[in-house]
Amino acid sequence: MANLNINIGKLQLKNPVMTASGTFGYGTEYSDFIDISRIGGIIVKGTTLRSRQGNAYPRMAETPSGMLNAVGLQNKGVDYFINHIYPTVKVIDTNVIVNLSGSTLEDYIEAAEMLNDLDKLPGIELNISCPNVKEGGMAFGISCLSAAEVVREVRRVYKNDLMVKLSPNVTDISEIARAVEAEGADSVSLINTLLGMAIDSEKRKPILSTITGGLSGPAVKPIALRMVWEVAKAVKIPVVGMGGIMNAADAIEFMLAGASGVQIGTANFIDPTVTIKVIDGIDEYLNRHGYSSVIDIIGALEV
Amino acid sequence: MANLNINIGKLQLKNPVMTASGTFGYGTEYSDFIDISRIGGIIVKGTTLRSRQGNAYPRMAETPSGMLNAVGLQNKGVDYFINHIYPTVKVIDTNVIVNLSGSTLEDYIEAAEMLNDLDKLPGIELNISCPNVKEGGMAFGISCLSAAEVVREVRRVYKNDLMVKLSPNVTDISEIARAVEAEGADSVSLINTLLGMAIDSEKRKPILSTITGGLSGPAVKPIALRMVWEVAKAVKIPVVGMGGIMNAADAIEFMLAGASGVQIGTANFIDPTVTIKVIDGIDEYLNRHGYSSVIDIIGALEV
Amino acid sequence: MKKFMLDLIVTKNETLNDQYSLLILKSPEKLPEMFPGQFAEVRVDNSPTTFLRRPISINYIDYETNELWLLIQIVGEGTLKMCQVKVGETLNLLFPLGNSFSLPNQKNAKLLLIGGGVGIAPLLFLGAYLKDKDFECNFLLGGRSKDNLLQLREFEQFGNVFTTTEDGSHGERGFVTQHSLLKDSNFDYIYTCGPTPMMKAVASYAAKTNTFCEVSLENTMACGFGACLCCVTDTTEGHVCVCTEGPVFNITKLKWQI
Amino acid sequence: MKKFMLDLIVTKNETLNDQYSLLILKSPEKLPEMFPGQFAEVRVDNSPTTFLRRPISINYIDYETNELWLLIQIVGEGTLKMCQVKVGETLNLLFPLGNSFSLPNQKNAKLLLIGGGVGIAPLLFLGAYLKDKDFECNFLLGGRSKDNLLQLREFEQFGNVFTTTEDGSHGERGFVTQHSLLKDSNFDYIYTCGPTPMMKAVASYAAKTNTFCEVSLENTMACGFGACLCCVTDTTEGHVCVCTEGPVFNITKLKWQI
Ligand SMILES: Cc1cc2nc3c(=O)[nH]c(=O)nc-3n(C[C@H](O)[C@H](O)[C@H](O)COP(=O)(O)OP(=O)(O)OC[C@H]3O[C@@H](n4cnc5c(N)ncnc54)[C@H](O)[C@@H]3O)c2cc1C
Ligand SMILES: Cc1cc2nc3c(=O)[nH]c(=O)nc-3n(C[C@H](O)[C@H](O)[C@H](O)COP(=O)(O)OP(=O)(O)OC[C@H]3O[C@@H](n4cnc5c(N)ncnc54)[C@H](O)[C@@H]3O)c2cc1C
Ligand SMILES: Cc1cc2nc3c(=O)[nH]c(=O)nc-3n(C[C@H](O)[C@H](O)[C@H](O)COP(=O)(O)O)c2cc1C
Ligand SMILES: Cc1cc2nc3c(=O)[nH]c(=O)nc-3n(C[C@H](O)[C@H](O)[C@H](O)COP(=O)(O)O)c2cc1C
Ligand code: FES
Ligand code: FES
């Protein structure tokens, strides 16, 4: 058994494997299949200050080695989370982290203040990159100035771990990463989904109700890996990598490229036990290659 | 038989199907498999003012539903093209178009001037988006100012059709499209490859000699389709769509999203007869849906 | 209800006609209890275009032999591949997923189960289940033509079978909702599954006659167990997931214009 | 040479051991003429991770029965799927691709064909071809152990067979380049295919003894017919495509440090 413990910002994880927001519900959806407390961290559904109905149906389109979603941040709001979800998830023996989205700076700040009071919530993932709703924060995430501003203001009120989730729909993601680092982010996570579109040629209609949606799954892995590589070189804070991770080898690639931790999203839908397989697979890899700790492979790519 | 003729900028095509630069050699590589004169247009290999050896091996990595390449514009230069390739390709009864790349403004201008003298060359595709070499023009293609400048200068010296090939590695591709339209581009083509990366986790090394490379194939189709949709709404000049087209349905999706023509790239490697199948498939679709001309489906998406 | 991910062994793959196949899958472990209306998410390997699982209703379950039936209509790559599995191969299933049809409250209630196309799949299981609980079922099954009426012999074991075909090749000519049964009799409970236009017509009949009516909805699903929120339908309670709150809905909950 | 894209029918799929299989494919149309060293690009359907074709050498060709042999070593998903095809199924091939080994100039030249691992594949065809042209071949085949020496019986039909194994389980113990044959005899022509380190050792022996030597290179290929420029190797003439200018190269053209 290699040592899988890893600290990412202020978070202490028993292993580098987390679940990506919006793909793992509140964790409990998976407890029939796995012991969710074995996972390093669970990033819960995208949460907004006030409850949201999300987008109209259809919200999903399958694409080659991937999928588009247009869920649109359906959630019951921060209040509901605090009163109804938090009590049940805070007892899970792992890091439960809230993915926070907003449409205005004030929304972000108000929600972050409320979450700051939860003593068993080790951190939030600030989502400034949801492509599916105007209010999803992508407007914040695609410019350095606005990304910096929202991180600065949230940082002022939020004292625990602040992971900032970056959008891949930009010319230079390292620039944004540096901007949020400068404002006090504890870590950055990437990538959120890539803006894409699917069309039914026979019906001559877009498949999604929203026309465009967010692309995830193995199709995006090469792009995600490149961005993690770029960002890891650009910032000093830890990087959390994701995008198309389906197995331990994929996760290891992200860590070699410089990620201190990974998140698994779409793969959970196909194999609800994938997180555990990835954790075990990383351990097996470390043993086979003679590493005593997972820390040894972070950024260990030989170029 | 529906009418497949289409004019794109100053080009007159017998059908909307072209081949993407760098994937179809000079056309003759495919003549054992198909009658290449049936294709609407053949965009030949990326050509630069002076000859280039391209990048070191390995230049290719397979990815889920796609591939990364790092060819790096290996070509023998414009002079060689004019003296040795042009005489053999100008007799092909279709539009043979040169894809032109450069590392400096002067290179672009000088090469464009030389190509302007070829009376059987109906146009060039200005590549300001190759991600694989510093000299590939992507530096031009990711900022409005520099994209505008290179198009302005080339437009001054090049009188035939000027198609400008855009990079998808940007925050707002419509902005770039509008900038090159304003400088006199006859059409825009998109997308070039997305910057990606592949790692061999067992060897702990990047797979490509250049670490990062350009992603193409069906994996990128949702992104390409979205960008074509955005750009077609943003500009008045015709749009040529590409990215992951594998069959007629894919090509039709691009046209419904607003493309006047399409280019097929990576698919040629897997099926060297795919261009002909797509042409026939578009015809079949038009007949089945009662359209008399391919023009009827351009931008015909119902939203 | 606890959900499972299991590799089941294909013991039979019967081609019913060029569109439909019946798969019988055997579980090495004891099959968990399931209820009619529930479904499985089937993994389709070996194809880049079938990245996600496919939701398929439980068609029938035989606890004694530990066998599960799936009735598949070929509509695309995924269902095609499923119908090509060979006896002895395995299919990976997540199940049982979703809610189920409700049992009638009165023992001697008049029950009508209306199915069209592949929508008959969950109704066979429902019929078997109801019969087991001593209810008497009437099945009204519709199809374009005789060839689209499936599993009639199986349905007959569990109740009275009525049919309609659009071309009149079997039963009454027309759509299920035009069947004389609906004019002549009154039912207490209607359960239906099939193409949405059919279900809407049934729902509208039920609403008019003030009959209890449950429909089983289709939807595009990414996970099938409530994790992705991709499969919503609009209800009186807002957007709810078809995979967890459904697929069975009482029509009074839906926002259908009926 | 004209290239073809054809669906060939699998007439035999013989598992040689857990790593290797021999596929025999029959062409409905008359097979075009091919030369030893040439290869085919095989399409591997039904897998998202085998998007591109796989280059595989022509192992043997029988114009009379219109059959083509492929010798496959399982190293990943693509070769695994190829080895799982069933008799009667078809494989789509682009072929013949690439250049071929050169014929010796002198009729009574002493020829040595050195192969390691799956690199023996093109050498069988080469041996058959040379024998047909009345040359006498010596085959030197190496493998980790006895089990990795393949098609020995076939090779014996076309010349003298010498072997080495790393564990000494067949022939001399050691690497091919350590075989006594190389010390005791002089050859006029050496043809080799196998792992790069092996080929480099052979090339270095040939260079030292001033022997004509051709090697067949591997490379990652996207197209296999000169369209993508992905498969270059560095030569005295700069970057050239292995799929069109090769896979066979005279060692004097390569920039190997030997
Ligand atoms: C709860 C539930 C139970 C089901 N039970 C059965 C069953 O018992 N037997 C059976 O054969 N099918 C059943 N289906 C439908 C089945 O899931 C789809 O036909 C299947 O996913 C299509 O996959 P494909 O790869 O063959 O087709 P694709 O290539 O994915 O699609 C082909 C066409 O079908 C449409 N389509 C795909 N999936 C759906 C869907 N879920 N709803 C509506 N349209 C869709 C697509 O838009 C496309 O036009 C059920 C669906 C649900 C949600
Ligand atoms: C001209 C030529 C002729 C060949 N002839 C034969 C033959 O007769 N029989 C045979 O079994 N194989 C042959 N090969 C090798 C064969 O093409 C590869 O083994 C195959 O493409 C691997 O596919 P895969 O999906 O099984 O493995 P992948 O999953 O693609 O790769 C598995 C591992 O093999 C390595 N690999 C993959 N492709 C190549 C390659 N082309 N060169 C070197 N390493 C590679 C990868 O880096 C990876 O580590 C030949 C290759 C070439 C270029
Ligand atoms: C259905 C779905 C819903 C998602 N919802 C959110 C969300 O609410 N907040 C967020 O930051 N990311 C969301 N994402 C993005 C994922 O967290 C992740 O960034 C992305 O899917 C890439 O990882 P993957 O390829 O492993 O899925 C969602 C993704 C999917 C597929
Ligand atoms: C091997 C390879 C080489 C390429 N070379 C060029 C090039 O020289 N110039 C260029 O503009 N685009 C080049 N491209 C990009 C393609 O023209 C096209 O934009 C891209 O591959 C997307 O289309 P596809 O998915 O159909 O391949 C190349 C792509 C590949 C795969
Ligand atoms: S399909 Fe994922 S929540 Fe219903
Ligand atoms: S593999 Fe494409 S040029 Fe050689």
Side-chain angles (χ1 to χ4, degrees):
Chain A
M1 268 288 295
N3 183 355
L4 296 182
N5 294 348
I6 178 92
N7 293 349
I8 299 180
K10 304 189 176 89
L11 299 174
Q12 301 184 326
L13 309 177
K14 57 181 92 167
N15 62 61
V17 178
M18 291 169 263
T19 60
S21 176
T23 67
F24 211 71
Y26 295 109
T28 44
E29 286 80 353
Y30 286 81
S31 46
D32 277 353
F33 301 108
I34 53 173
D35 172 3
I36 57 175
S37 74
R38 282 202 56 203
I39 301 173
I42 295 173
I43 322 283
V44 305
K45 261 177 220 184
T47 304
T48 49
L49 181 61
R50 263 167 274 281
S51 99
R52 289 181 48 84
Q53 276 286 306
N55 293 321
Y57 169 80
R59 293 179 172 184
M60 194 274 283
E62 198 174 9
T63 66
S65 298
M67 62 175 278
L68 287 164
N69 89 79
V71 171
L73 295 174
Q74 175 175 336
N75 79 97
K76 298 195 167 150
V78 163
D79 248 343
Y80 186 89
F81 174 82
I82 292 174
N83 297 317
H84 296 91
I85 313 286
Y86 176 65
T88 68
V89 296
K90 74 174 183 185
V91 298
I92 304 171
D93 177 25
T94 183
N95 295 282
V96 175
I97 292 156
V98 170
N99 176 274
L100 181 64
S101 264
S103 47
T104 66
L105 197 54
E106 293 67 34
D107 280 6
Y108 274 111
I109 299 170
E110 190 176 338
E113 267 180 322
M114 290 163 73
L115 293 170
N116 194 48
D117 298 335
L118 305 182
D119 56 348
K120 290 268 171 27
L121 189 83
I124 60 174
E125 182 181 52
L126 200 68
N127 181 3
I128 54 170
S129 46
C130 177
N132 286 332
V133 284
K134 271 203 214 68
E135 304 78 11
M138 198 173 98
F140 290 101
I142 60 176
S143 117
C144 284
L145 270 180
S146 55
E149 186 180 18
V150 64
V151 173
R152 186 186 320 130
E153 296 304 321
V154 169
R155 179 76 292 178
R156 250 198 259 281
V157 300
Y158 191 76
K159 303 304 168 202
N160 296 320
D161 187 72
L162 180 59
M163 188 187 296
V164 179
K165 186 159 178 183
L166 305 180
S167 170
N169 300 296
V170 295
T171 309
D172 185 357
I173 194 166
S174 341
E175 195 181 82
I176 315 261
R178 275 192 301 259
V180 306
E181 176 182 41
E183 300 297 345
D186 292 307
S187 65
V188 284
S189 59
L190 58 148
I191 60 174
N192 208 317
T193 53
L194 280 144
L195 203 52
M197 177 172 177
I199 289 175
D200 184 327
S201 61
E202 289 300 316
K203 299 194 183 124
R204 284 185 296 285
K205 288 195 173 139
I207 294 178
L208 299 174
S209 68
T210 46
I211 306 179
T212 60
L215 183 66
S216 63
V220 310
K221 196 188 76 173
I223 301 169
L225 213 45
R226 183 264 298 180
M227 290 187 165
V228 165
W229 164 249
E230 285 178 355
V231 168
K233 286 188 299 178
V235 297
K236 292 195 187 62
I237 51 175
V239 175
V240 173
M242 80 194 90
I245 296 178
M246 298 297 283
N247 51 45
D250 292 337
I252 290 160
E253 292 172 17
F254 276 90
M255 299 196 68
L256 292 170
S260 299
V262 295
Q263 292 183 17
I264 300 180
T266 308
N268 292 299
F269 303 153
I270 294 145
D271 181 357
T273 69
V274 65
T275 42
I276 303 300
K277 288 175 185 160
V278 171
I279 295 166
D280 292 343
I282 293 175
D283 187 33
E284 183 273 328
Y285 177 92
L286 296 174
N287 294 331
R288 188 155 46 81
H289 288 266
Y291 293 110
S292 58
S293 162
V294 71
I295 293 172
D296 299 338
I297 64 167
I298 299 171
L301 195 71
E302 295 164 21
V303 292
Chain B
M1 269 288 296
N3 184 355
L4 296 182
N5 293 348
I6 179 91
N7 292 349
I8 299 179
K10 304 188 178 86
L11 299 174
Q12 301 183 327
L13 309 177
K14 56 182 92 167
N15 62 63
V17 178
M18 291 170 264
T19 60
S21 177
T23 67
F24 212 71
Y26 294 110
T28 44
E29 285 80 353
Y30 286 81
S31 46
D32 277 354
F33 301 108
I34 52 172
D35 173 3
I36 58 175
S37 73
R38 282 201 57 202
I39 300 172
I42 295 173
I43 322 282
V44 304
K45 261 177 217 182
T47 304
T48 48
L49 182 61
R50 265 168 274 280
S51 98
R52 290 180 48 86
Q53 278 285 306
N55 294 321
Y57 170 79
R59 294 180 171 183
M60 195 273 284
E62 199 174 7
T63 65
S65 298
M67 63 175 278
L68 288 163
N69 89 80
V71 171
L73 294 173
Q74 175 173 340
N75 79 99
K76 297 196 167 148
V78 163
D79 248 341
Y80 186 90
F81 174 81
I82 292 172
N83 296 316
H84 296 91
I85 313 286
Y86 176 65
T88 68
V89 297
K90 74 174 183 185
V91 297
I92 303 170
D93 177 25
T94 184
N95 295 284
V96 175
I97 292 156
V98 170
N99 176 273
L100 182 64
S101 264
S103 46
T104 67
L105 197 55
E106 292 68 35
D107 280 6
Y108 274 111
I109 299 170
E110 190 178 337
E113 267 181 321
M114 289 163 74
L115 293 169
N116 194 47
D117 297 335
L118 305 180
D119 55 350
K120 290 268 166 42
L121 189 83
I124 59 175
E125 181 180 53
L126 201 68
N127 181 3
I128 54 171
S129 45
C130 177
N132 286 331
V133 285
K134 273 203 212 66
E135 304 77 9
M138 199 174 97
F140 290 101
I142 59 175
S143 115
C144 284
L145 271 180
S146 55
E149 185 180 21
V150 62
V151 173
R152 186 186 319 131
E153 296 303 321
V154 169
R155 177 77 292 178
R156 250 197 257 282
V157 300
Y158 191 75
K159 302 306 168 198
N160 295 319
D161 187 73
L162 180 59
M163 187 187 294
V164 179
K165 186 161 179 182
L166 305 181
S167 171
N169 300 296
V170 295
T171 309
D172 185 356
I173 194 166
S174 340
E175 193 180 84
I176 315 261
R178 275 192 300 260
V180 306
E181 176 183 42
E183 299 298 344
D186 292 306
S187 65
V188 285
S189 58
L190 59 149
I191 59 171
N192 208 318
T193 52
L194 281 144
L195 203 53
M197 179 171 175
I199 289 176
D200 184 327
S201 60
E202 289 300 315
K203 299 192 183 126
R204 284 185 296 285
K205 287 196 173 139
I207 294 178
L208 300 174
S209 69
T210 46
I211 306 179
T212 61
L215 184 66
S216 64
V220 310
K221 198 188 75 172
I223 302 169
L225 213 46
R226 183 265 297 183
M227 292 189 164
V228 165
W229 163 250
E230 285 178 356
V231 169
K233 286 188 298 179
V235 297
K236 291 195 186 63
I237 52 175
V239 175
V240 173
M242 81 194 90
I245 296 177
M246 298 298 282
N247 52 43
D250 292 338
I252 290 161
E253 292 172 16
F254 276 90
M255 298 195 67
L256 292 170
S260 300
V262 294
Q263 292 182 18
I264 300 180
T266 308
N268 291 298
F269 303 153
I270 294 144
D271 181 357
T273 70
V274 65
T275 43
I276 304 301
K277 287 175 186 160
V278 171
I279 296 166
D280 292 343
I282 293 175
D283 187 32
E284 184 272 329
Y285 178 93
L286 296 173
N287 294 330
R288 187 156 46 82
H289 287 266
Y291 293 110
S292 58
S293 162
V294 71
I295 294 172
D296 299 338
I297 62 168
I298 299 171
L301 194 73
E302 295 164 20
V303 292
Chain C
M1 270 182 72
K2 188 166 156 66
K3 299 179 277 288
F4 296 84
M5 180 166 75
L6 290 177
D7 281 324
L8 302 189
I9 301 154
V10 180
T11 54
K12 190 166 175 182
N13 179 347
E14 187 185 350
T15 305
L16 303 181
N17 61 42
D18 59 354
Q19 261 197 79
Y20 290 92
S21 291
L22 175 71
L23 299 183
I24 303 189
L25 310 175
K26 200 182 177 76
S27 173
E29 303 168 43
K30 187 148 181 46
L31 280 173
E33 197 184 12
M34 281 167 247
F35 296 98
Q38 291 194 292
F39 63 100
E41 279 275 9
V42 184
R43 203 179 68 207
V44 188
D45 298 329
N46 299 337
S47 163
T49 51
T50 55
F51 174 62
L52 299 167
R53 289 173 182 263
R54 299 294 190 261
I56 302 291
S57 305
I58 312 293
N59 177 225
Y60 185 72
I61 177 160
D62 186 333
Y63 294 108
E64 272 165 39
T65 60
N66 252 329
E67 281 175 331
L68 189 79
W69 296 21
L70 303 178
L71 181 71
I72 317 277
Q73 179 184 17
I74 300 176
V75 300
E77 193 79 10
T79 46
L80 178 66
K81 297 253 164 185
M82 271 185 233
C83 289
Q84 290 169 343
V85 292
K86 302 209 168 63
V87 169
E89 293 179 350
T90 60
L91 275 183
N92 185 279
L93 267 67
L94 288 182
F95 67 105
L97 304 174
N99 69 354
S100 52
F101 291 102
S102 330
L103 272 188
N105 284 329
Q106 327 126 250
K107 263 296 158 199
N108 49 4
K110 284 192 72 186
L111 314 183
L112 181 61
L113 287 69
I114 309 183
V118 80
I120 66 155
L123 299 188
L124 185 68
F125 182 16
L126 178 59
Y129 187 82
L130 288 170
K131 162 132 189 157
D132 190 56
K133 301 262 183 266
D134 283 332
F135 289 100
E136 195 190 298
C137 294
N138 298 291
F139 299 102
L140 174 53
L141 309 173
R144 206 160 304 162
S145 77
K146 207 172 58 164
D147 292 343
N148 288 314
L149 295 173
L150 303 170
Q151 300 187 305
L152 291 184
R153 206 128 16 115
E154 283 80 1
F155 277 107
E156 278 160 7
Q157 300 177 351
F158 308 125
N160 312 310
V161 176
F162 305 89
T163 62
T164 61
T165 50
E166 288 173 41
D167 65 358
S169 56
H170 196 286
E172 295 187 11
R173 179 194 297 269
F175 297 111
V176 277
T177 42
Q178 298 166 332
H179 196 280
S180 53
L181 194 65
L182 298 183
K183 284 170 207 119
D184 307 343
S185 320
N186 285 317
F187 295 93
D188 302 311
Y189 288 84
I190 296 179
Y191 305 98
T192 182
C193 183
T196 306
M198 184 205 93
M199 292 199 290
K200 287 196 173 166
V202 171
S204 144
Y205 167 85
K208 246 180 274 155
T209 57
N210 241 317
T211 316
F212 174 99
C213 179
E214 282 181 343
V215 301
S216 175
L217 298 185
E218 281 221 358
N219 207 298
T220 44
M221 297 184 175
C223 71
F225 50 88
C228 75
L229 304 189
C230 284
C231 65
V232 291
T233 196
D234 209 10
T235 69
T236 52
E237 290 158 21
H239 283 153
V240 303
C241 285
V242 171
C243 74
T244 47
E245 315 270 313
V248 178
F249 289 91
N250 192 302
I251 55 166
T252 57
K253 267 213 175 175
L254 297 176
K255 285 202 173 161
W256 281 0
Q257 240 90 46
I258 46 178
Chain D
M1 269 181 73
K2 189 167 156 64
K3 299 179 277 286
F4 297 84
M5 180 166 75
L6 290 176
D7 282 323
L8 302 189
I9 302 155
V10 180
T11 55
K12 191 167 173 179
N13 178 350
E14 189 185 347
T15 305
L16 304 180
N17 60 42
D18 59 354
Q19 261 197 75
Y20 289 93
S21 290
L22 175 71
L23 299 183
I24 303 189
L25 310 175
K26 200 180 177 76
S27 172
E29 302 168 43
K30 189 151 180 41
L31 280 174
E33 199 185 10
M34 281 167 246
F35 297 97
Q38 292 194 293
F39 63 98
E41 279 276 10
V42 183
R43 204 179 68 208
V44 187
D45 299 329
N46 299 339
S47 162
T49 51
T50 55
F51 175 62
L52 299 166
R53 288 173 183 263
R54 298 297 189 258
I56 302 291
S57 305
I58 311 292
N59 176 226
Y60 185 71
I61 176 160
D62 186 333
Y63 294 108
E64 271 165 39
T65 60
N66 254 328
E67 282 176 331
L68 189 80
W69 295 22
L70 303 178
L71 182 71
I72 318 277
Q73 179 184 17
I74 300 175
V75 301
E77 193 80 9
T79 46
L80 178 67
K81 297 255 162 184
M82 270 185 234
C83 290
Q84 290 170 341
V85 292
K86 302 210 169 64
V87 168
E89 293 180 349
T90 60
L91 275 183
N92 185 277
L93 267 67
L94 287 181
F95 68 105
L97 304 173
N99 70 355
S100 52
F101 291 102
S102 331
L103 271 188
N105 284 326
Q106 326 127 252
K107 265 296 155 198
N108 49 5
K110 285 193 73 184
L111 315 183
L112 181 60
L113 286 69
I114 308 184
V118 79
I120 65 156
L123 299 186
L124 184 69
F125 182 17
L126 178 60
Y129 187 82
L130 289 169
K131 161 128 189 164
D132 189 55
K133 301 264 183 262
D134 283 334
F135 289 100
E136 198 190 296
C137 295
N138 297 291
F139 299 102
L140 175 51
L141 309 173
R144 207 160 304 164
S145 78
K146 208 171 61 165
D147 292 342
N148 288 312
L149 295 172
L150 302 170
Q151 300 187 307
L152 291 184
R153 209 139 1 123
E154 283 80 1
F155 277 106
E156 278 162 6
Q157 298 176 352
F158 308 124
N160 311 310
V161 177
F162 305 89
T163 62
T164 60
T165 50
E166 289 172 43
D167 64 359
S169 55
H170 196 286
E172 296 186 10
R173 180 194 294 270
F175 296 112
V176 279
T177 42
Q178 298 167 330
H179 196 278
S180 54
L181 193 65
L182 297 183
K183 287 170 205 118
D184 307 342
S185 320
N186 285 313
F187 295 93
D188 303 311
Y189 289 83
I190 296 179
Y191 306 98
T192 184
C193 184
T196 307
M198 184 204 92
M199 292 200 289
K200 286 195 175 166
V202 171
S204 143
Y205 167 84
K208 248 180 271 157
T209 57
N210 239 316
T211 316
F212 174 100
C213 180
E214 283 181 344
V215 301
S216 176
L217 299 186
E218 280 220 358
N219 206 298
T220 43
M221 297 183 175
C223 71
F225 50 87
C228 74
L229 305 188
C230 285
C231 64
V232 290
T233 198
D234 208 12
T235 69
T236 52
E237 290 158 20
H239 283 152
V240 303
C241 284
V242 171
C243 73
T244 48
E245 315 270 314
V248 178
F249 290 91
N250 192 301
I251 55 165
T252 57
K253 267 212 174 173
L254 298 176
K255 286 199 172 163
W256 282 359
Q257 241 92 43
I258 46 178

